Amino acid sequence: MMFAENRKISIRQLQMLLLLDCFGTAVLFLPAELAEISGRGCFFAALLGGLGVSAASFLLTAVGRRMPNGTVVDWCRSVCGNAIGTILLLGLAGKILLDGMLELRIFSEIICRFMLPATPVWVLSLVLLLVAGALAAQGTECRGRTAEILFFLVAIPLLLVLLAVAASTQYARVLPLALPSPSGIGAGLAEMSIVFRGLVFLYFIYPDLKKPVGFAVWKICLLITAVVTVIVLLCLANYGEGMLAAKLLPTLQMLERVSFTGVFLTRQDLLLLWFWMASAVLFLSGVVFFGSLLGTQLCRQAEKKRKLWLWVVLAALFALSFLPESLMAAQRLRLAVSPWLNLAYLVGLPVLLLLLGRKGEKKDV
């Protein structure tokens, strides 16, 4: 527990946490889902959707600048009152658990399907949760330092693989360029809001920052948007709109086209899934850590009670992850529910806090 009492991270660590938290399994499905709706305009849909979510991140950073010394529990109860504030916080707890359990189930199913078909899904889920729980138990600084290390072990190798794919791709299938329809733009916003799942952790992080956040969140959101847009573009160029729409996990299948024979790698899929495994574990550790923190503060308990809430959140994630019947059922549930919860808690709640907080300031004056 060497880091548990040291809850300060740098802005650079926050950016790396957001980058890895957001690079989850949604990116594996995204190109096919956007191609089905927007055709050749799918990468424009990803770009516009990412820019929209990046703009929404200003709302969360604005709330943090106005009330930098508290978490969302303090904000909701001081601005909305105990009753309404508690209802909003329970909804936020549900959103965090939903995001975590869907990521856990989907990634466990992917590992089972592509790497360990003889291993039961529940075993894979349990291992992922235990690793994430151990990381969460060490506190915010440990997560920040882990993100710094994983950035060089995950982000840079992935960038090199993407460059190799880009260099060997023919781009004729992208032409002629096409803009997405209004429904395609809406789908881009919905799908990209799922990609930016880590933004919800900003509700808790401001007291733990060594410096004010400034434009750091917006900059990393733009970087994530750029990387995801490039991935969608490369998938379109490799498969074409018709074939891309029929793929299950086009991002993973596209990256497997790069040959690593000179590196003596016999199981290339292990390397590629490592990128998403690191992201999944780090994101789940955030779900467990901030979920336990939310439970402690909701019940007005001492910090030492957070250890008990860690086990509660872990057990809830494990149990809830088996509610969907299959991989596709879990993905359909995420597509149906997560965008609306993201709209409520990445746009609606920050706007409410800003408006009511301003009214409260005027009354105090």
Side-chain angles (χ1 to χ4, degrees):
M1 300 293 291
M2 57 184 290
F3 294 112
E5 302 303 322
N6 189 347
R7 294 175 52 184
K8 292 292 183 180
I9 61 173
S10 66
I11 296 298
R12 182 180 65 181
Q13 288 172 332
L14 171 64
Q15 289 179 312
M16 293 180 180
L17 278 170
L18 284 174
L19 176 65
L20 294 173
D21 282 339
C22 293
F23 207 80
T25 55
V27 180
L28 297 174
F29 295 91
L30 181 72
E33 291 163 350
L34 290 183
E36 185 177 358
I37 299 173
S38 301
R40 288 195 308 275
C42 57
F43 66 96
F44 281 124
L47 175 62
L48 295 174
L51 291 176
V53 180
S54 299
S57 70
F58 279 116
L59 295 172
L60 281 168
T61 55
V63 176
R65 283 195 299 271
R66 180 166 295 179
M67 296 175 278
N69 297 320
T71 67
V72 66
V73 178
D74 306 304
W75 304 343
C76 286
R77 284 179 170 165
S78 63
V79 171
C80 304
N82 282 333
I84 297 177
T86 300
I87 293 173
L88 292 172
L89 292 169
L90 289 174
L92 179 61
K95 172 186 164 37
I96 292 174
L97 284 176
L98 179 71
D99 288 345
M101 75 91 163
L102 287 173
E103 183 69 12
L104 176 64
R105 178 59 184 275
I106 290 172
F107 190 66
S108 297
E109 290 276 4
I110 291 174
I111 294 178
C112 183
R113 181 172 298 193
F114 286 91
M115 290 174 55
L116 303 169
T119 305
V121 172
W122 70 267
V123 173
L124 299 171
S125 297
L126 187 60
V127 171
L128 287 172
L129 275 180
L130 289 177
V131 175
L135 181 57
Q138 302 304 309
T140 301
E141 187 187 359
C142 183
R143 290 190 72 242
R145 294 191 178 188
T146 302
E148 281 188 305
I149 296 171
L150 289 178
F151 175 80
F152 295 100
L153 298 177
V154 176
I156 293 179
L158 179 61
L159 178 61
L160 295 176
V161 175
L162 288 175
L163 288 174
V165 173
S168 60
T169 297
Q170 301 294 326
Y171 295 91
R173 293 188 180 94
V174 177
L175 302 174
L177 297 178
L179 293 175
S181 63
S183 62
I185 295 175
L189 279 168
E191 299 266 2
M192 290 299 288
S193 73
I194 299 174
V195 171
F196 283 90
R197 58 191 184 169
L199 288 179
V200 73
F201 296 151
L202 292 176
Y203 277 119
F204 306 92
I205 204 68
Y206 294 106
D208 302 337
L209 295 178
K210 295 178 181 178
K211 296 180 180 179
V213 70
F215 291 97
V217 171
W218 180 67
K219 291 177 181 177
I220 200 65
C221 285
L222 291 182
L223 177 60
I224 295 168
T225 298
V227 173
V228 173
T229 301
V230 168
I231 288 175
V232 177
L233 173 63
L234 291 175
C235 285
L236 177 64
N238 274 280
Y239 298 115
E241 56 183 303
M243 187 181 297
L244 177 57
K247 294 284 184 180
L248 176 61
L249 302 170
T251 302
L252 186 61
Q253 293 167 297
M254 175 191 69
L255 295 178
E256 286 180 336
R257 295 164 66 96
V258 179
S259 174
F260 295 104
T261 52
V263 194
F264 304 103
L265 195 64
T266 58
R267 287 295 305 274
Q268 184 170 312
D269 52 347
L270 297 181
L271 172 64
L272 297 177
L273 280 174
W274 154 247
F275 302 149
W276 279 271
M277 184 176 297
S279 174
V281 168
L282 195 65
F283 175 70
L284 288 171
S285 74
V287 170
V288 175
F289 178 77
F290 293 116
S292 64
L293 181 64
L294 180 57
T296 303
Q297 294 184 355
L298 261 175
C299 297
R300 293 185 170 91
Q301 294 175 329
E303 179 70 18
K304 62 182 180 180
K305 294 291 186 180
R306 195 173 63 82
K307 295 179 182 179
L308 174 61
W309 280 101
L310 280 173
W311 289 106
V312 171
V313 176
L314 285 170
L317 287 173
F318 185 71
L320 291 172
S321 68
F322 292 99
L323 290 180
E325 296 179 355
S326 63
L327 169 65
M328 293 313 300
Q331 178 62 8
R332 285 194 298 270
L333 177 61
R334 180 158 67 177
L335 291 174
V337 178
S338 291
W340 295 106
L341 290 175
N342 290 330
L343 179 63
Y345 283 96
L346 298 183
V347 178
L349 182 57
V351 169
L352 181 66
L353 292 173
L354 290 171
L355 291 177
L356 295 183
R358 181 172 298 175
K359 289 180 180 179
E361 291 174 359
K362 290 180 179 178
K363 288 180 181 179
D364 294 338
V365 174

